[in-house]
Amino acid sequence: MKLLRLSRKLSVVALAVAVGACDEGLTDLNQNPNAPTDVPADLILRNAVQSVANTALGVGMSWNHAGLWAQHVAQIQYAEEDRYQPRVDNIQAFWDALYVAPAKDFDVVASKSRAANRPLQEGVGLVMKSWTFGVMTDLWGDIPYTEALQGDASGNFTPKYSTQQEVYNGLFTDLRRADQLLAPGGATGFGAADLIYNGDGTRWRRFANSLRLRNAMHLTKVDAAKARSEFEAAIANPVLSSNADNAVLRYTGAAPNQNPFFVNVLSRDDHRISKTMVDMLRNLNDPRLPVYAQPAQSNGQYVGYGNGLPNNSMLLADASKIGSAFLAANAPAYFMTAAEVFFLRAEAAQRGWNAGGGTAAQHYAAGIRAAMEMYGISSSAIDAYLAQPSVQYDPARGFQQIATQKWIALYLQGYEAWTEWRRTGFPQIAPGPAARGPVPRRLPYPGLEVSLNKANLDAAIARQGDTGLAGRVWWDRP
């Protein structure tokens, strides 16, 4: 009996030793060397820039939602979104793709850089965080902002919704801070990991102030005094002033770093350039028509497809595809351009604000010239275009001309073209014959917010009123 008890004791000791030994090995085995728990800021930035470009400037937004509703493009098959029937899964996908990856990642880039006392890198993180949240609030209005992105640190997975006014105030604060951080200029330290400016802090500063101009102009109908003060403060600093300054992601063309339009057309053929765009370019004798569109396969003509039509209302071969330059594997994605900044300055001058010098007519012409030079249009062709009476700047219809030319220049930057149409009403566009209601003015909230954050969502809806497609965000006023 004693031998049996001793044997049992020895077995327990052996088991304990064995478990301890196994625990040491299992601890190592449970650590995935391919999934590090702490990632350097430069690697986070690189991934986040491409992620947000693919989401906010890719097929889903520019071809299937905002770009459709701005009538840059049209759906020829599976045309539910063109008839204002967006699929709920897509709305959820936009929300998740923007919050889970780039919004959080850019915040981490800024916070890591701040902790490491790297001001230029922190400035880059703040600029991209502001760009991302700017897109999000313009899509949905009130969104989680001041309490967002804190789940890991505070365990708050049901953040309150900030009003859109609060979000914009936060964006202005972060962009002012970014300007200060980036003011010394020089290399940010990100180098090749910076897919936009290759570590050039001076150009990042120009982007920060230009983004502040854009956000300020969005507020003209809801808070004109704030719009003017923010614009004039920003224009006192350097802004995008040539195409060399453009904030652009240049895809390499090698998988997985390929333009999402290129990836889409490898297996799909669902879109054509909108009739609205083709008609506008043709009526203005615009030399960008052969750039924006391809000749229709059946007749060699530039033929736009009407928005909001029943599926397959025209044969695929009878309507013009989107221009081949936009469909290349290495086609760039534009976050913001100098052309847009010139149009912002033109509108500011037209309003009597300080636009940083120059007249509305001068900035308007500079915007057209920069927009055309992006696509290789010759100086003589640009001069001839600007000389046309229909294009020459007329102060009596200056707002309409500026807004229309900006809409043309923002081709395939769907979210901002749609934002500007909502703000200005130009160009005048109408729902197609099969559309289910008026042209959308916002995205509805995603379904998972109802089940996961209902109380805060309900409060946001109660503040805003109609949060369906026909509802208006805070800055969108009749």
Side-chain angles (χ1 to χ4, degrees):
M1 184 66 69
K2 289 183 179 179
L3 182 60
L4 179 60
R5 285 199 296 268
L6 179 60
S7 175
R8 287 177 176 172
K9 289 180 180 178
L10 290 173
S11 297
V12 171
V13 172
L15 179 62
V17 173
V19 168
C22 290
D23 182 62
E24 291 181 9
L26 287 173
T27 299
D28 294 336
L29 289 172
N30 286 334
Q31 293 178 351
N32 183 354
N34 296 318
T37 57
D38 187 25
V39 181
D42 56 342
L43 297 183
I44 297 174
L45 177 70
R46 182 184 186 92
N47 182 72
V49 165
Q50 187 159 333
S51 174
V52 78
N54 290 349
T55 299
L57 298 169
V59 173
M61 185 60 65
S62 290
W63 285 11
N64 289 336
H65 291 82
L68 285 176
W69 302 338
Q71 296 194 2
H72 278 178
V73 297
Q75 287 175 326
I76 201 166
Q77 301 179 111
Y78 314 110
E80 282 79 5
E81 289 82 8
D82 214 351
R83 298 194 296 266
Y84 314 147
Q85 298 172 282
R87 282 159 266 225
V88 294
D89 290 349
N90 290 336
I91 304 302
Q92 186 69 56
F94 286 134
W95 182 273
D96 293 345
L98 291 167
Y99 265 113
V100 174
K104 176 64 175 177
D105 286 349
F106 292 132
D107 184 60
V108 170
V109 169
S111 61
K112 276 180 170 286
S113 301
R114 187 181 312 115
N117 192 28
R118 295 172 178 167
L120 295 176
Q121 292 186 348
E122 181 186 352
V124 170
L126 290 176
V127 173
M128 289 309 302
K129 178 185 174 184
S130 298
W131 188 92
T132 303
F133 270 107
V135 171
M136 293 162 66
T137 192
D138 291 341
L139 294 175
W140 285 289
D142 293 8
I143 56 173
Y145 178 69
T146 57
E147 293 188 4
L149 314 178
Q150 298 178 11
D152 291 343
S154 67
N156 181 7
F157 294 102
T158 56
K160 292 181 180 178
Y161 281 59
S162 299
T163 67
Q164 188 170 45
Q165 184 175 19
E166 291 170 337
V167 176
Y168 263 80
N169 287 338
L171 300 182
F172 288 130
T173 297
D174 280 353
L175 290 170
R176 286 194 294 269
R177 173 66 176 158
D179 172 71
Q180 296 168 355
L181 293 168
L182 293 161
T188 65
F190 283 127
D194 172 3
L195 299 179
I196 299 177
Y197 287 128
N198 198 35
D200 187 334
T202 299
R203 289 195 290 170
W204 272 107
R205 187 187 183 201
R206 290 179 177 274
F207 182 20
N209 290 311
S210 300
L211 190 54
R212 192 173 166 196
L213 298 181
R214 172 195 282 182
N215 291 342
M217 197 62 74
H218 287 174
L219 305 188
T220 50
K221 287 187 176 180
V222 71
D223 192 343
K226 176 75 169 178
R228 180 172 186 170
S229 65
E230 289 289 345
F231 189 101
E232 292 184 341
I235 200 64
N237 301 311
V239 296
L240 305 181
S241 59
S242 74
N243 285 327
D245 294 332
N246 290 345
V248 54
L249 168 61
R250 300 189 184 279
Y251 292 93
T252 65
N257 191 9
Q258 295 173 319
N259 187 290
F261 300 157
F262 166 81
V263 176
N264 180 266
V265 299
L266 289 177
S267 59
R268 304 292 296 266
D269 191 19
D270 304 337
H271 302 85
R272 294 293 185 268
I273 187 171
S274 168
K275 184 177 185 299
T276 305
M277 177 62 79
V278 170
D279 288 351
M280 179 70 72
L281 296 177
R282 182 177 287 116
N283 291 340
L284 293 174
N285 298 310
D286 196 306
R288 285 169 289 190
L289 180 55
V291 178
Y292 283 15
Q294 301 178 49
Q297 292 175 318
S298 65
N299 54 38
Q301 303 299 311
Y302 294 104
V303 181
Y305 190 83
N307 287 94
L309 299 178
N311 285 330
N312 302 309
S313 294
M314 182 185 293
L315 294 176
L316 292 170
D318 292 343
S320 291
K321 294 182 179 183
I322 293 160
S324 57
F326 299 96
L327 307 182
N330 63 347
Y334 291 97
F335 292 95
M336 195 170 189
T337 67
E340 181 185 345
V341 172
F342 283 124
F343 290 127
L344 289 166
R345 296 176 71 178
E347 182 174 344
Q350 174 76 8
R351 291 179 177 276
W353 301 356
N354 175 10
T359 65
Q362 289 171 332
H363 291 306
Y364 166 81
I368 293 173
R369 188 172 296 279
M372 290 192 173
E373 288 175 346
M374 283 172 55
Y375 302 112
I377 306 300
S378 69
S379 294
S380 59
I382 298 172
D383 291 342
Y385 181 77
L386 289 169
Q388 297 179 108
S390 60
V391 176
Q392 288 179 341
Y393 190 74
D394 177 2
R397 55 190 183 97
F399 286 122
Q400 178 178 350
Q401 287 182 298
I402 294 166
T404 299
Q405 287 293 336
K406 187 193 290 186
W407 175 82
I408 296 172
L410 287 169
Y411 184 56
L412 300 187
Q413 298 171 56
Y415 75 93
E416 188 60 23
W418 181 48
T419 289
E420 282 297 278
W421 171 81
R422 288 181 286 164
R423 182 179 72 88
T424 68
F426 297 113
Q428 295 180 353
I429 60 178
R436 305 292 181 88
V439 179
R441 306 193 75 89
R442 64 179 300 149
L443 286 186
Y445 288 109
L448 278 181
E449 283 295 284
V450 176
S451 56
L452 300 179
N453 198 15
K454 187 176 188 304
N456 291 317
L457 174 62
D458 287 347
I461 292 174
R463 281 196 303 267
Q464 297 172 93
D466 185 358
T467 55
L469 290 173
R472 292 173 181 259
V473 298
W474 167 66
W475 51 254
D476 181 13
R477 292 291 179 264

